[in-house]
Amino acid sequence: MSGDTIFGKIIRREIPATIVYEDDLCLAFRDIVPQAPTHILVIPKQPIPSLADVTAEDKAVLGHILITIKQIADQEGLTEKGYRVVTNIGEEGGQTVFHLHFHLMGGRGMHWPPG
Ligand code: 5GP
């Protein structure tokens, strides 16, 4: 199941992406415009527009995604030095693709606050 966004097309393999992990609930692939040496997007296969749209029924998939992010960070060798996980929500949050996604970024020092 997937929504009508570019990420839905990636889930359905209608456009290519460098996929690093997939299971029944989620997909992880490299960002096309990486903002860090490692920049991976982790998304539910279910087409939830953003974190603002989740409900209690999404508890299992959200927990699964966070644990998956931790596992991918381990596999990518990011855990020792650290990394950042971000989800942008809505216009002022800087969201451009309205299919919930978590940015996993690492491989360089991060700054705070972000822009
Ligand atoms: P947002 O701004 O919504 O938080 O993040 C959307 C992200 O999706 C951006 O970092 C952007 O580079 C990435 N992106 C947009 N289109 C594509 C695409 O077709 N393929 C991949 N791999 N990433 C994309």
Side-chain angles (χ1 to χ4, degrees):
M1 187 165 61
S2 57
D4 188 23
T5 68
I6 198 87
F7 293 172
K9 294 185 195 313
I10 289 173
I11 292 169
R12 296 190 299 269
R13 304 300 203 272
E14 291 169 8
I15 62 167
T18 304
I19 293 169
V20 299
Y21 178 82
E22 180 170 26
D23 63 26
D24 289 347
L25 293 177
C26 70
L27 184 72
F29 52 93
R30 297 197 188 276
D31 197 294
I32 202 166
V33 186
Q35 302 299 318
T38 300
H39 187 170
I40 292 167
L41 301 172
V42 187
I43 71 172
K45 288 191 169 173
Q46 195 182 334
I48 302 167
S50 85
L51 195 64
D53 301 290
V54 303
T55 70
E57 290 182 2
D58 302 315
K59 200 182 289 185
V61 69
L62 291 171
H64 178 72
I65 285 173
L66 288 178
I67 290 167
T68 299
I69 289 170
K70 174 250 187 297
Q71 291 170 339
I72 295 170
D74 287 347
Q75 285 163 18
E76 295 282 324
L78 300 176
T79 304
E80 185 183 348
K81 287 193 169 178
Y83 54 92
R84 181 168 291 172
V85 178
V86 171
T87 187
N88 297 324
I89 300 149
E91 184 185 348
E92 290 207 352
Q95 186 175 9
T96 59
V97 179
F98 288 85
H99 182 127
L100 176 63
H101 52 282
F102 294 85
H103 298 256
L104 165 59
M105 292 179 288
R108 66 167 171 83
M110 299 291 164
H111 306 289
W112 194 263

